[in-house]
Amino acid sequence: MDFLSYLISGISLGSIYAIIALGYTMVYGIARMLNFAHGDVIMVGAYMSFMATTRFGWHPLLSVLFAMVVCTVLGIVIEQLAYKPLRAAPSLAVLITAIGVSYFLQNAALLLWSANPKSFSSVVPFDSLRLFNGRLIISGTTIVSIFVCVIIILALNTIVNKTKIGKAMRAVSEDKDAAQLMGVSVNRTISITFAIGSALAAVAGVLLCSAYPILMPTTGAMPGIKAFTAAVFGGIGSIPGAFLGGILLGIIEIFGKAYISTQLSDAIVFAVLIIILIVKPTGLLGKKVLVKV
Amino acid sequence: MLNVSGLQVFYGNIHAIKDVSFYVEEGEIVTLIGANGAGKSTILNTVSGLIRPTAGTIEFLDHSILNLTPHKIVRKRLAHCPEGRRLFLQMSVEENLEMGAYARDDIDMDAEMADVFSRFPILEERRTQLAGSLSGGEQQMLAMGRAMMSKPILLMLDEPSMGLAPILVEQIFDLIVELNETGTTILLVEQNAQMALSIADRGYVLETGSIVTMGNCIDLLNDERVKKAYLGG
């Protein structure tokens, strides 16, 4: 029964990683950049939800929407101010800028909300589910995290494969110049990608703090790095890869904590990443590009 | 229809296009011929906005398109079928055709696609396959079909015969003539000078970034220098 309980916790934590990893992977796929500030957008989303419920007394669900709106705007603003001017710059310059934005957000949060951890109360109103005469307890947050992740994956899959903007995103991700020649605005497509990724980050932030209720300015940093790991693990640029990578990472982390060592669990996570990358450098579902002349 | 004048393009320190001027009238097929690296593709890329020139003017339908981004230029119904086809290899045949009509909100997608399929029945058979799984000839058909989907009034084609078997080259050139007869003006870049000059009205010969000679195709086909350099005789 413990095994089942750990597995479900792993999938739940993995779902949150997957939602964050989607933001990394989509932005990478389209703008070919690693947005290391993505993890800190999670933190901003969590603070927004926290403020909305505690200061303004809003309904938790409304607070999530509020966090999504703020993060969407934040994502677009970051892209316009920090990354867009560097479109033609070497990728190293963009990477360093992204790290700069990450520290900027953390320090702005420190200034606004201080370093004192806030105790975040879960936005999920459901009680825990008790199964097998109470031997298996699954919290409402756990169930909602998995459920939300599945919905997001299905929705994104539809957007990317069926809608005009989704097709434009795939076209830009494959060949920027050719996409422009078809009439696609690359700048607009990148902005929309940042908007979607940041809105997802807000959702992830709220779910993360509902599961692990300590909120401080560095809250987003570690999950951000882990979700980035998940995205690479699954094959960066691949949406199903981000999903698979996130879930597996969550399971590995929880099993590592439960069966090996709580202190070593992060080390185990990254060790697995290194092994996967040695065996399969493109990640689990990394794209093999087929070129014919 | 298209008027390019005094065009200068630099790649870093390399002077790729040196004071090039040419024009295309409505209803014409005009060809730019020249050896590999003469600057033919650079000229097309500059007209479609992918490359910014350092000097010169580009007018399309009497309006400057010099400062427009590529996605705005294609909305003026000036389509560019780039060198190497540049299909979206991880998208299906059908999706590639849909991307071709991306800039047009006013067309009947199904009717346009049916038109492309009637010309290239093989594409209909393969409509759900990924473009990357097509043969070279099929990919060229798809590239042409994708360019047709935007219903351009001026279509710029960059090396449509590249890497194709002679029978397919014939088919592609027949289609170019047919498109032209149904009202599409064509600017054709080719290394296959013989074929290009045989279907075009006028031609420009490019050498290392400059236009060295120009004229009616019949005259160019009989020009001793052109014969020697590009027609194998």
Side-chain angles (χ1 to χ4, degrees):
Chain A
M1 207 53 70
D2 280 350
F3 176 81
L4 197 60
S5 163
Y6 295 144
L7 183 67
I8 292 168
S9 308
I11 294 174
S12 174
L13 176 63
S15 297
I16 297 171
Y17 287 154
I19 297 169
I20 308 169
L22 285 168
Y24 272 110
T25 227
M26 286 174 72
V27 164
Y28 180 82
I30 284 156
R32 292 279 171 245
M33 66 158 293
L34 295 169
N35 177 21
F36 274 116
H38 190 60
D40 303 292
V41 177
I42 300 167
M43 170 273 296
V44 173
Y47 270 107
M48 286 303 139
S49 168
F50 179 79
M51 301 282 287
T53 46
T54 55
R55 288 261 176 94
F56 315 142
W58 290 1
H59 187 276
L61 211 59
L62 192 64
S63 82
V64 178
L65 283 178
F66 173 66
M68 286 173 78
V69 170
V70 172
C71 286
T72 302
V73 174
L74 179 67
I76 294 173
V77 168
I78 290 172
E79 199 278 318
Q80 294 284 318
L81 291 183
Y83 304 146
K84 195 178 169 190
L86 296 173
R87 202 82 88 211
S91 54
L92 205 56
V94 186
L95 188 71
I96 291 166
T97 306
I99 294 170
V101 173
S102 167
Y103 280 109
F104 174 81
L105 290 177
Q106 285 183 25
N107 285 290
L110 205 58
L111 218 62
L112 282 170
W113 299 298
S114 85
N116 291 337
K118 306 265 190 287
S119 141
F120 194 95
S121 51
S122 176
V123 295
V124 177
F126 310 121
D127 287 337
S128 298
L129 201 65
R130 290 168 179 275
L131 297 169
F132 306 107
N133 298 324
R135 280 188 295 155
L136 179 64
I137 301 170
I138 309 168
S139 78
T141 308
T142 303
I143 298 167
V144 168
S145 297
I146 298 171
F147 186 69
V148 167
C149 179
V150 170
I151 301 263
I152 286 173
I153 287 285
L154 293 179
L156 270 187
N157 203 37
T158 309
I159 290 173
V160 167
N161 289 314
K162 301 280 179 231
T163 65
K164 196 172 177 183
I165 178 68
K167 285 171 190 165
M169 286 165 130
R170 282 156 63 207
V172 170
S173 129
E174 207 176 314
D175 188 334
K176 228 183 246 185
D177 283 351
Q180 291 190 76
L181 291 179
M182 301 298 118
V184 177
S185 163
V186 171
N187 282 332
R188 187 168 155 264
T189 309
I190 291 177
S191 284
I192 291 171
T193 309
F194 267 86
I196 295 175
S198 305
L200 294 184
V203 175
V206 173
L207 289 173
L208 186 76
C209 289
S210 294
Y212 303 89
I214 295 162
L215 175 58
M216 47 189 182
T218 53
T219 289
M222 198 56 182
I225 296 286
K226 283 192 193 151
F228 166 64
T229 308
V232 175
F233 186 38
I236 191 127
S238 156
I239 289 177
F243 178 65
L244 186 67
I247 300 285
L248 286 177
L249 202 78
I251 295 173
I252 294 167
E253 182 176 335
I254 297 290
F255 279 2
K257 269 189 184 139
Y259 294 117
I260 304 173
S261 152
T262 316
Q263 281 86 14
L264 281 181
S265 76
D266 286 348
I268 295 164
V269 164
F270 291 108
V272 170
L273 171 81
I274 292 168
I275 293 165
I276 292 283
L277 289 185
I278 290 170
V279 180
K280 202 166 180 301
T282 51
L284 295 174
L285 302 180
K287 287 176 189 166
K288 274 176 277 172
V289 182
L290 193 68
V291 182
K292 266 197 185 160
V293 183
Chain B
M1 176 177 267
L2 179 70
N3 214 329
V4 175
S5 148
L7 200 65
Q8 308 269 6
V9 178
F10 284 84
Y11 285 124
N13 288 324
I14 301 159
H15 198 172
I17 300 297
K18 300 159 192 158
D19 193 22
V20 162
S21 302
F22 67 95
Y23 65 92
V24 182
E25 301 270 22
E26 192 178 342
E28 279 188 311
I29 300 182
V30 172
T31 183
L32 300 178
I33 57 174
N36 214 347
K40 308 184 298 290
S41 298
T42 303
I43 292 176
L44 294 198
N45 286 339
T46 311
V47 172
S48 62
L50 290 172
I51 298 174
R52 296 254 167 243
T54 41
T57 59
I58 304 173
E59 282 178 358
F60 181 57
L61 300 173
D62 300 325
H63 291 285
S64 173
I65 54 168
L66 202 56
N67 294 315
L68 295 184
T69 47
H71 71 272
K72 294 215 169 107
I73 291 175
V74 66
R75 286 191 159 70
K76 298 197 172 287
R77 301 184 65 183
L78 196 172
H80 178 189
C81 187
E83 187 179 16
R85 305 189 273 266
R86 306 286 284 269
L87 294 170
F88 303 111
L89 298 178
Q90 295 178 45
M91 295 170 83
S92 70
V93 167
E94 203 169 27
E95 286 171 335
N96 269 277
L97 293 175
E98 284 172 21
M99 285 311 295
Y102 187 89
R104 305 298 309 273
D105 301 317
D106 54 332
I107 62 159
D108 180 352
M109 187 79 84
D110 294 335
E112 290 307 318
M113 220 177 270
D115 183 37
V116 171
F117 289 151
S118 71
R119 287 174 207 272
F120 303 116
I122 189 77
L123 294 183
E124 186 161 25
E125 279 173 41
R126 306 212 187 287
R127 65 191 294 170
T128 56
Q129 265 178 251
L130 294 187
S133 71
L134 302 182
S135 72
E138 289 160 358
Q139 288 192 0
Q140 185 59 49
M141 292 176 197
L142 181 54
M144 295 285 293
R146 187 178 68 173
M148 284 161 58
M149 288 295 289
S150 69
K151 303 221 94 187
I153 48 178
L154 173 59
L155 174 59
M156 302 195 294
L157 294 164
D158 198 340
E159 305 265 7
S161 75
M162 192 170 67
L164 295 187
I167 178 93
L168 277 170
V169 175
E170 292 268 356
Q171 200 187 337
I172 296 289
F173 275 81
D174 285 348
L175 175 68
I176 296 170
V177 172
E178 203 185 315
L179 284 175
N180 179 246
E181 279 164 358
T182 51
T184 313
T185 307
I186 309 272
L187 176 57
L188 173 66
V189 155
E190 259 301 336
Q191 274 194 68
N192 189 338
Q194 182 79 53
M195 278 305 266
L197 291 173
S198 72
I199 65 162
D201 300 301
R202 289 185 303 113
Y204 293 85
V205 180
L206 224 71
E207 265 173 31
T208 57
S210 307
I211 288 174
V212 289
T213 181
M214 66 186 103
N216 287 326
C217 285
I218 299 145
D219 298 337
L220 288 176
L221 280 166
N222 293 319
D223 185 301
E224 285 305 319
R225 273 181 64 198
V226 174
K227 267 189 190 169
K228 230 186 193 115
Y230 304 105
L231 304 174

